[in-house]
Amino acid sequence: MTHRFQGRVVCITGAAKGIGRQAALSFAAEGAIIVATDIEADAGQSLVSEIKTAGGRAQFLEHDVTSEEAWAGVIDGIRKDHGHLDVLINNAGIGMTGLAHEMELSLWRKMMAVNVDGVFLGVKHALPLMKAAGKGNIINVSSIAGIRSTANFSCYCATKAAVRSFTKSVALECAEAKDGIRVNSIHPGIVSTAIWDTLIGTAEGADSNMPRDATLAGMTAEGVPFGRAGTIQEIVNGMLFLASDESSYMTGAELVIDGGATAG
């Protein structure tokens, strides 16, 4: 490891499992001080224990990203404990499928609250702390669903497209303010994470008895030029790049990691 994030404070939402968990482990291995947040307290505490056992620094905060009060508390805690925030990764998200004309409004609002409101609130409350330091880096996790729409995924696609566009607008605001803050989005393709258990289970005509990896193998064989799903680490590598000084001339960018799925 290069320790390129030595001493930097990195807050990651949805950090208890999947991409968020691996991001926390990878940033910690590079010397970052991790503030991991999630609604799943047991898994979050387990993550922090693993980081500390490996010699890293981390804390876990139980956190509902849809709550503005909770976001204010998270950022205020970072301010008091560390004095600054170097990187915010808005990773928390949920996914469910369904035809638009059959979808319950409550389901639509739930996905919008987590996937869009959660990102907005994170940016809103993190920016003043970053502005005070004259620097900062925000990475919003979107999806290739925010670039290319798919039937039965209308709400999920809408949320991820909103994240994509919101990211660009905030990036321009920060660039115009000359506040030293970069804002980019990352767009994973098909990756074998727990979110697919829900997406596959609710998809029209899905076989809920078929293992996730077997289902994804069929999907990638047909729709991904690389012919396979991406790994969690391949997505995290993109986060490490966007958060590092190696991407210092990038803002408002969308980093697509999808095995060529959106290239055609």
Side-chain angles (χ1 to χ4, degrees):
M1 294 294 177
T2 62
H3 297 284
R4 55 184 157 168
F5 298 105
Q6 191 67 40
R8 297 189 190 184
V9 179
V10 178
C11 178
I12 305 170
T13 67
K17 295 181 179 178
I19 293 172
R21 183 180 187 279
Q22 188 58 42
L25 292 170
S26 295
F27 275 92
E30 293 275 10
I33 301 167
I34 303 299
V35 180
T37 86
D38 205 295
I39 59 172
E40 298 191 33
D42 289 345
Q45 294 290 3
S46 176
L47 164 68
V48 167
S49 295
E50 184 174 346
I51 291 173
K52 289 182 176 179
T53 298
R57 300 172 62 185
Q59 67 180 121
F60 173 74
L61 300 175
E62 192 169 352
H63 176 207
D64 175 3
V65 296
T66 70
S67 166
E68 182 156 22
E69 182 180 4
W71 264 114
V74 166
I75 299 301
D76 189 52
I78 292 172
R79 180 185 292 106
K80 290 177 179 177
D81 292 341
H82 306 289
H84 66 281
L85 174 61
D86 297 288
V87 181
L88 170 63
I89 302 178
N90 281 311
N91 170 72
I94 59 173
M96 287 166 276
T97 61
L99 297 171
H101 70 283
E102 295 178 351
M103 183 172 293
E104 296 290 337
L105 180 58
S106 60
L107 177 59
W108 174 275
R109 286 176 171 167
K110 182 178 180 179
M111 270 198 280
M112 285 289 174
V114 176
N115 294 0
V116 183
D117 294 356
V119 171
F120 158 68
L121 291 171
V123 170
K124 174 183 176 180
H125 287 276
L127 277 178
L129 184 55
M130 290 180 172
K131 285 177 179 291
K135 61 179 181 178
N137 196 313
I138 297 175
I139 301 169
N140 295 326
V141 180
S142 180
S143 165
I144 60 170
I147 298 172
R148 184 183 66 187
S149 298
T150 306
N152 300 315
F153 286 74
S154 58
C155 183
Y156 185 72
C157 289
T159 65
K160 293 305 184 178
V163 171
R164 177 192 184 209
S165 185
F166 174 71
T167 298
K168 292 178 182 295
S169 291
V170 177
L172 291 173
E173 291 174 7
C174 292
E176 290 177 1
K178 303 293 188 294
D179 56 18
I181 300 170
R182 298 191 294 114
V183 190
N184 295 291
S185 59
I186 194 164
H187 298 256
I190 297 176
V191 181
S192 185
T193 60
I195 197 171
W196 281 98
D197 293 333
T198 305
L199 290 172
I200 292 169
T202 58
E204 184 179 18
D207 181 356
S208 60
N209 295 316
M210 183 177 290
R212 179 210 309 166
D213 288 346
T215 302
L216 294 183
M219 294 171 64
T220 54
E222 295 179 2
V224 180
F226 270 13
R228 65 170 177 85
T231 67
I232 290 175
Q233 188 62 55
E234 285 173 323
I235 306 306
V236 171
N237 288 343
M239 293 178 173
L240 292 166
F241 169 67
L242 285 177
S244 75
D245 295 337
E246 296 161 17
S247 61
S248 58
Y249 199 53
M250 292 177 66
T251 196
E254 49 195 57
L255 183 59
V256 179
I257 308 174
D258 69 351
T262 58

